[in-house]
Amino acid sequence: MSKSSDIAELLDHLELNDAFLAAQYPADIEDFCKVYPEKVIGLALVGPNETNSSAFEIIAERILMINSEHGPTKTAANDFKKDLKKASTYEIKNYEILPWSDISIDHPKQLFESLSNFFGSMGPKKNAFAKSKVGGKFKDTYFSIEGCGPPLILFPFTLSAAQWKPIIPLLAEKFTVITLSGPNLGFIPVLESRAALPTYQTMISSLVSIMNITPNGKILELGCGTGALCRQVLKLRSDLSVTGVDINTYLLNGAIQIAENEDLYVNNYIDEKEFTVKNFSEASELNFAYSDAIDIPFPDNFFDAVYSVTVLEECDADKAIKEIVRVVKPGGPIGIIVRAIDMPQWFNFDITGELKHKLNIPLQLKSTYGIADKSLYDQMRKNGLHESINFPSMVAVPRGKNKNLFEWFLRRTRQTLNEDEKIELDDELKKISDKSNLIYSMPFHCSVGWKQY
């Protein structure tokens, strides 16, 4: 069943004819807005870094786009407003909304006021809804309800650790706030789809093979997200006890749900503060716990091996590597993979000249102290890891089997072009009758090193 039908059925389950919606990841609500526009009282898109504006044409005058002063969300808002002139925008000054930004912590007042003012301007609603602090599950979607007033459905942020939580009490004073989560919403499907790519799995398999982890060892994934790689590692090495930690409890809960759906044995330590070796030593088990990348809550020399994939771009990489080294036993391997914004990405379009050059530039996304380039290799060495094996890699996204993921990467790249370049790209794409053979390839830096004795 389609995501749009699932949302419509959820509204019916909650006895709602329509509702306000707020989301960061447009794919969650694109189809719903096209198929059921009458059920959308108003929509807020909060800092998306790409949008398919055609999906929202029918409800343009009921849309608020919240963006930052610069960066991809600013570009996305400009493009959106150009295509849909009746839409409204709100800009947060002196701020850049990155996929992992906690906007509800950084700018709670502006986020709350922009939402409440825009939705409030639409006048009183006949279907005022009152349920107090209840929740449940409908199909694969979990929901919690708080407050009293017109219904406001909050879809997940992409990678924000705080999600909506800091401003829900404020919103609940004006709305009945219905917060959604589940394995089919937010960024979880993207992370799962990426991890399922054959060449992505090959890159991870190479990492694990090179690490040569001791038999029956305890291994940690720092920043495990949905646990997709934890599950892959366990399939590769069933003798291991695999622990995944992340700062994002929304993703961790999704990781547990997905693993249990696959009939894997899962230990939930998300709310635990102290850890013993015994709890993390059972072979063929998955363990999930909360952790900041720069403050790992495990004792020194706890794990036999640690790996981290596309996490050090988003945090203080030097501090994170130091923490990784601390929790690994002497002689233990450490594997790290980061996106490579200093290497060309690649589309197999027959395009030449300046446009081809721009298409080859990856989205330049990283935090102030993050690593997303070849400096990873020096940083590993500076933190005492020796005999490092470094292997830059490319991961392919064939459109034929991964249409949604391919189109997502294409839209992100397209938004970095100027108007003439967008027209040129669109014209070239129109000439391709069979798009099933299109490929996008993304670059990564990969490194394995060993902690000195």
Side-chain angles (χ1 to χ4, degrees), residues 14-291:
L14 296 172
E15 300 179 354
L16 292 172
N17 294 320
D18 50 21
F20 293 111
L21 310 178
Q24 184 175 52
Y25 187 54
D28 278 341
I29 40 85
E30 284 178 357
D31 289 343
F32 180 75
C33 291
K34 283 192 293 187
V35 178
Y36 301 99
E38 74 283 358
K39 294 183 179 292
V40 182
I41 307 172
L43 168 66
L45 293 169
V46 184
N49 58 28
E50 57 84 24
T51 56
N52 177 12
S53 56
S54 63
F56 303 104
E57 287 176 347
I58 245 174
I59 61 166
E61 70 279 2
R62 289 176 267 158
I63 297 178
L64 171 68
M65 169 80 86
I66 298 174
N67 61 276
S68 47
E69 187 175 24
H70 49 89
T73 70
K74 172 70 171 179
T75 303
N78 288 344
D79 289 347
F80 195 79
K81 185 66 175 176
K82 179 177 176 293
D83 293 339
L84 304 179
K85 293 180 172 55
K86 292 182 180 180
S88 301
T89 57
Y90 178 87
E91 185 169 288
I92 300 177
K93 302 294 183 183
N94 302 312
Y95 188 61
E96 181 176 3
I97 304 173
L98 296 167
W100 50 87
S101 294
D102 284 321
I103 184 174
S104 60
I105 291 178
D106 299 336
H107 291 283
K109 183 178 179 181
Q110 287 178 277
L111 182 56
F112 165 69
E113 290 182 351
S114 60
L115 292 174
S116 58
N117 291 341
F118 181 73
F119 292 150
S121 70
M122 297 179 178
K125 302 295 169 290
K126 294 180 181 179
N127 66 332
F129 186 65
K131 286 190 177 181
S132 178
K133 292 188 176 179
V134 296
K137 180 184 178 185
F138 180 75
K139 296 188 174 179
D140 289 329
T141 300
Y142 296 79
F143 60 89
S144 61
I145 303 177
E146 184 172 344
C148 180
L152 168 58
I153 299 179
L154 303 178
F155 289 80
F157 282 100
T158 50
L159 297 174
S160 165
Q163 293 287 314
W164 293 96
K165 189 175 181 180
I167 70 162
I168 286 178
L170 292 172
L171 291 170
E173 294 177 4
K174 292 193 173 186
F175 304 93
T176 299
V177 180
I178 305 166
T179 307
L180 304 186
S181 64
N184 297 320
L185 294 175
F187 214 55
I188 291 178
V190 175
L191 295 174
E192 287 290 305
S193 296
R194 185 183 70 170
L197 294 167
T199 48
Y200 201 93
Q201 292 186 342
T202 297
M203 179 175 70
I204 301 303
S205 297
S206 296
L207 187 81
V208 173
S209 176
I210 293 170
M211 290 174 72
N212 192 25
I213 304 158
T214 184
N216 305 112
K218 301 188 302 297
I219 184 169
L220 172 71
E221 179 182 352
L222 181 66
C224 67
T226 65
L229 303 185
C230 291
R231 302 194 305 273
Q232 181 184 343
V233 170
L234 198 58
K235 289 175 182 176
L236 290 169
R237 291 283 305 273
S238 60
D239 63 302
L240 299 178
S241 172
V242 181
T243 298
V245 297
D246 205 287
I247 196 172
N248 191 318
T249 54
Y250 169 72
L251 294 179
L252 283 174
N253 285 321
I256 292 170
Q257 293 158 12
I258 294 169
E260 289 179 340
N261 287 341
E262 295 186 7
D263 295 325
L264 294 171
Y265 192 91
V266 179
N267 298 303
N268 181 349
Y269 298 119
I270 293 176
D271 295 323
E272 298 292 324
K273 303 299 180 185
E274 296 184 3
F275 307 106
T276 62
V277 171
K278 181 180 178 182
N279 291 343
F280 293 84
S281 299
E282 294 297 325
S284 298
E285 292 188 359
L286 286 176
N287 312 294
F288 292 106
Y290 173 89
S291 175

